[in-house]
Amino acid sequence: MNHDDPVLLRTEGRALHITLNRPRALNALTHDMVRRIDEALTEAERDDSITTVVLRGAGERGLCAGGDIRTIWENARTGGHASTAFWRDEYLLNARIARFPKPYVALMDGIVMGGGVGVSAHGDVRVVTERSQIAMPETGIGFVPDVGGTHLLASAPGELGTHLALTGTAVGPADALLCGLADHFVPSLRLAELTEALAMSGPAAEVTRTVERYATAAPRSGLAAHREWIDVCYASESVEEIVDRLQGCPAPAAGEAAGTLLSRSPTALKVTLAAVRRARRLGDLEAVLDQEFRVSYAARVLPDLIEGIRARIIDKDRAPHWRPAGLDQVTDGDVARFFTPLGDEELGLAPGCVPETTGPDTGARTGQV
């Protein structure tokens, strides 16, 4: 095994361990890493001696900070198609993880964002620790939650998922459990014991029982105390109305959320709200991934993605110049273009699924979770 490889594979007992191995880059996913994980899952599926797959990240900082957005930025600036190819394979991997026939255990220790959520939160058994910080922060770089993130957030209780999708707020272990992004809390000091025990686990039920032996109660949830104003404010039919309700709410945290939204890409906010609402109606992960691919395909050629990555990652001035700059300048037609069918370029995970049309009520809420 070459310890410089970006993905390390190790078999211990009956478990295959997949380690994301770019600790200096917080294990950010590259296209090559996506391919290697997929190849490893193919081998694990064929090997009868392997009963469990365990995903973890190298280093002490986190499982994975997301996709390698510097590479995405470079590709977007040159008008290339490498990002589209990366997203296609990444979303196919997300779907494969969700339907993988053997127990897939994700150790979501430390930072888990964007693409890191995609390779972990669709697994069978998702473990968080006291160090976990989980987020879909895409609106902050002029992008929209992907990797099945809109599916996960649309399924969260009430409007918690809408809040997290629009603001990009990171949540700790208890809130991850509350929102359905994780299943068990295990103190980080017990992860080594847990992984040793998983080496001897067999069927799915046995894997779950093994994890439960090491699990304890998570620290108190922060979001639960804010459910009342979150559910009221984010039930609005437009981003503008959401901001108005947040600004009018007496809770200090609501005002802070409004300020966060006003710093985000207006286009990304409106498309994100529409994507989460649509994901609720679609229900199925594969149909949602098809939708997310259409959105990503459209976003790659627009200025906000390039500008957002520049401001946060390249120049680090944290002062993006969004185009357009105001929510009132983003029309229903602008949003609709993100959901336009791609013909032969479709991801095609849900064959026969016809994308719904987007009319004037693009951001409209159509039901409760």
Side-chain angles (χ1 to χ4, degrees):
M1 178 173 61
N2 183 350
H3 292 281
D4 292 328
D5 285 345
V7 176
L8 302 178
L9 305 177
R10 173 176 59 88
T11 300
E12 183 177 332
R14 306 183 71 181
L16 171 66
H17 292 262
I18 301 175
T19 301
L20 308 182
N21 188 40
R22 296 183 68 212
R24 292 183 180 178
L26 238 171
N27 303 317
L29 286 174
T30 64
H31 199 165
D32 180 56
M33 292 169 72
V34 167
R35 294 190 187 102
R36 290 182 183 223
I37 297 169
D38 185 67
E39 291 167 0
L41 292 182
T42 296
E43 293 302 315
E45 189 169 349
R46 294 172 178 169
D47 189 342
D48 292 338
S49 69
I50 299 296
T51 58
T52 307
V53 171
V54 181
L55 179 78
R56 66 186 311 159
E60 298 296 322
R61 297 168 62 199
L63 171 67
C64 175
D68 189 339
I69 59 176
R70 183 179 290 268
T71 299
I72 292 172
W73 178 77
E74 292 170 349
N75 182 252
R77 290 178 67 213
T78 60
H81 292 276
S83 295
T84 303
F86 166 64
W87 287 322
R88 181 181 296 278
D89 286 344
E90 184 182 26
Y91 300 173
L92 292 173
L93 176 62
N94 302 148
R96 182 176 193 181
I97 289 169
R99 63 172 181 258
F100 194 67
K102 299 180 180 182
Y104 183 102
V105 181
L107 304 182
M108 302 171 74
D109 184 31
I111 292 174
V112 186
M113 296 185 178
V117 173
V119 294
S120 59
H122 299 301
D124 300 289
V125 182
R126 305 160 303 172
V127 176
V128 287
T129 75
E130 75 282 358
R131 302 186 297 201
S132 296
Q133 288 292 311
I134 301 171
M136 295 299 297
E138 286 77 9
T139 59
I141 59 166
F143 197 47
V144 177
D146 63 341
V147 298
T150 59
H151 170 78
L152 294 165
L153 295 175
S155 302
E159 294 294 339
L160 292 178
T162 309
H163 169 65
L164 297 181
L166 293 177
T167 63
T169 300
V171 296
D175 289 334
L177 294 168
L178 172 65
C179 293
L181 301 173
D183 305 301
H184 304 281
F185 173 79
V186 176
S188 59
L189 290 176
R190 303 205 71 188
L191 289 181
E193 299 174 57
L194 171 60
T195 54
E196 288 181 12
L198 288 171
M200 309 310 296
S201 296
E206 186 175 336
V207 169
T208 300
R209 287 194 296 269
T210 298
V211 174
E212 288 174 344
R213 288 204 306 270
Y214 293 88
T216 62
R220 182 179 299 180
S221 166
L223 281 180
H226 298 291
R227 274 290 303 276
E228 185 174 357
W229 65 261
I230 286 176
D231 286 352
V232 170
C233 294
Y234 287 94
S236 304
E237 295 185 352
S238 69
V239 178
E240 290 94 330
E241 189 177 350
I242 288 173
V243 171
D244 286 345
R245 289 192 182 187
L246 290 171
Q247 290 176 328
C249 180
E256 293 172 7
T260 297
L261 294 185
L262 292 174
S263 73
R264 301 300 194 231
S265 158
T267 301
L269 288 177
K270 287 202 169 184
V271 176
T272 294
L273 181 61
V276 171
R277 298 292 194 248
R278 286 162 165 261
R280 283 177 175 167
R281 299 194 289 270
L282 289 170
D284 180 71
L285 170 63
E286 297 190 346
V288 174
L289 285 166
D290 282 347
Q291 171 177 275
E292 290 179 347
F293 186 72
R294 296 179 198 113
V295 171
S296 299
Y297 192 94
R300 83 193 195 286
V301 297
L302 294 180
D304 277 6
L305 178 59
I306 296 173
E307 174 63 8
I309 297 175
R310 178 209 64 76
R312 186 166 292 253
I313 302 297
I314 307 302
D315 297 335
K316 300 182 181 179
D317 58 23
R318 303 286 176 136
H321 299 284
W322 305 122
R323 290 188 288 166
L327 289 167
D328 60 342
Q329 297 172 287
V330 183
T331 69
D332 291 335
D334 294 331
V335 174
R337 281 192 283 275
F338 283 80
F339 300 91
T340 301
L342 301 177
D344 292 340
E345 295 294 322
E346 285 281 337
L347 186 62
L349 274 169
C353 179
V354 179
E356 57 183 290
T357 57
T358 305
D361 62 342
T362 293
R365 189 171 192 275
T366 59
Q368 299 284 340
V369 171

